[in-house]
Amino acid sequence: MLFQNILIYFVLIPLIMLGGVALSRNIKQIRAVAVIGSTALIALSVYLIYQWLNPTPEAAELAAAHDGMYHYASWKWFSAQGLNINLTVGVDGVSIAMLLLSSIILFTGSFASWTIQQPKAFFLWLILLSTGVFGFFITIDLFTMFMFYEVALIPMYLLIGVWGSGKKNYSAMKLTLMLMGGSAFLMLGLIGIYYHSSADGHYTWNLLEIAGNNSISTGWQYFLFPMTFVGFGVLGAMFPFHTWSPDGHASAPTAVSMLHAGVLMKLGGYGCFRVAMYLMPQAANDLAWIFLILTGISVVYGAFSACVQTDLKYINAYSSVSHCGLVLFAILMINTTAMTGAIMQMLSHGLMTALFFALIGMIYGRTHTRDITKMGGMMKIMPYLAVGYVIAGMASLGLPGLSGFVAEMTIFVGSFQQGMTDYLAGGGSLRLVFTVIACCSIVITAVYILRVVGKLLFGPVQDKHHLELTDATWWERLSTATLIICVAAIGCFPNFFENLIRDTFDPEIFRAIAMNF
């Protein structure tokens, strides 16, 4: 039955939260619904990890029969006209990691929005967005996945347009139009995949069945792969389709920036990995050089752009372009180590950028400015928030002991490995050259992080009124401390997370990509 599958509750709990918020009569009840619901999602994610690491014989047998997808189940949804649309769910290590990340950021974002205006409407849209995110990560039916993808995108317009700041109407419209443009490419690509999903005319939206049929010809792969990769890549802020990201993040309220940069942008990388790479491996291998150039530009361009910004949110937004570009860059290496690093980077960036945006929102709420030239000496005025910002910055530039170091080192080691393999085999030096270029982003990241820390936290106080500011409240401390602990946990215990992810890339399970190793 439907409710006997644990994965359904990742959609059911947010729907219950929506009902709870709608029925709430005051801000305290709304806060309680958001915190209790997000805590339940974290508990469910942790339980899922426990089951993944300690599977029962029955669960392991079912997963082995479905390409390593645990809790696999399928229910017919719409079969008229032969469309065969089903609600098909299943998770592997990557999906579980993304579910945990999403639940943590929803939890911390709830506390970061403790004093938001018009809380009922805000949390209704925020939870609807998270419903789409959770649904996207648990489903392996392309049509249902696309439906949840759109559910996650649509609320962004109102969340930024109503609760945002600055050029919020322009930013909301720009973000919506660009992401919908990407969705149009994606929809055409998915329809093309559907009508080439089977050689005998029994078409399917099921990812596992499409991969097993291996019926998409090389010619059609060359046509459909760019459409799906670009469609998801727009959300992943791939150059030159990244311009919505800085404006959108700069205008969004704190929790929306946290959820958008921390989770929603990960839908792009996850979709490229799960759909484009998995279903069309031949085109992924042959056309990778085109997107390696674009993602390599994203990595360096985003870092350079962050160096010249003075607005805290724009700095972090361009930093996100660089870090998310690194995710797509690593996926395109089609190498076990690099792809494992890509998922680690998705986790790391999700947590540290949520921490960044949370801290920026808290600082802005006190100083009413995000211009670093108008601030200074914050370390002695609000030491807790200042230390939190330093930790987030050190994670971003890859300090050992924090998540950024583990993720980036794994990516660069895997990328060098694949680049040298290509070079020695006479396959050219493109991967090797762009790996070297991507490595340079570490130095550029250090430049803008240390510049911001120096101007913002140290030196003379620029405005005497800032001396009267207070440090973090208890709910702000809880939100940021949770994220700091998670960033440190990945950095200190990388084997746990790597083992959770790496099994997904086992050649016997991930056979569609393994053929190109």
Side-chain angles (χ1 to χ4, degrees), residues 155-388:
M156 287 299 301
Y157 177 80
L158 288 173
L159 286 168
I160 295 176
V162 176
W163 288 273
S165 58
K167 301 183 297 181
K168 58 182 183 180
N169 292 328
Y170 166 79
S171 300
M173 184 61 70
K174 182 178 182 179
L175 178 148
T176 303
L177 290 176
M178 290 198 70
L179 294 185
M180 288 300 173
S183 296
F185 274 98
L186 179 58
M187 180 178 67
L188 292 173
L190 295 182
I191 292 173
I193 291 172
Y194 173 73
Y195 282 109
H196 292 84
S197 61
S198 175
D200 58 7
H202 293 86
Y203 305 128
T204 178
W205 295 99
N206 189 300
L207 272 167
L208 305 184
E209 293 178 3
I210 297 171
N213 291 339
N214 194 26
S215 58
I216 306 177
S217 66
T218 302
W220 275 104
Q221 286 191 34
Y222 288 159
F223 179 72
L224 297 173
F225 176 79
M227 300 186 75
T228 52
F229 199 93
V230 170
F232 283 117
V234 171
L235 186 55
M238 183 180 71
F239 181 88
F241 310 107
H242 66 284
T243 56
W244 61 268
S245 178
D247 291 323
H249 287 142
S251 298
T254 300
V256 176
S257 292
M258 292 171 66
L259 202 63
H260 193 188
V263 177
L264 202 62
M265 291 178 74
K266 307 304 172 291
L267 268 62
Y270 181 88
C272 288
F273 152 75
R274 181 70 74 194
V275 179
M277 307 289 291
Y278 183 57
L279 299 183
M280 293 167 285
Q282 188 62 49
N285 186 64
D286 295 346
L287 302 181
W289 66 273
I290 300 173
F291 297 100
L292 277 172
I293 294 173
L294 296 179
T295 54
I297 294 173
S298 293
V299 173
V300 178
Y301 169 80
F304 271 123
S305 297
C307 289
V308 298
Q309 302 298 320
T310 58
D311 185 303
L312 284 171
K313 275 201 168 184
Y314 270 101
I315 293 170
N316 198 35
Y318 277 109
S319 175
S320 293
V321 171
S322 178
H323 285 100
C324 289
L326 198 57
V327 170
L328 299 179
F329 179 84
I331 289 173
L332 289 162
M333 287 294 168
I334 318 180
N335 169 283
T336 303
T337 303
M339 295 179 79
T340 301
I343 307 303
M344 294 282 283
Q345 176 73 349
M346 289 168 69
L347 286 174
S348 172
H349 175 260
L351 294 167
M352 70 184 182
T353 202
L355 177 58
F356 263 130
F357 277 121
L359 292 165
I360 292 169
M362 294 166 192
I363 293 171
Y364 175 70
R366 290 164 169 78
T367 62
H368 304 293
T369 181
R370 298 194 302 258
D371 191 337
I372 60 175
T373 62
K374 297 179 181 179
M375 292 184 281
M378 293 297 163
M379 183 63 79
K380 55 175 115 169
I381 298 172
M382 46 185 80
Y384 180 87
L385 295 178
V387 170

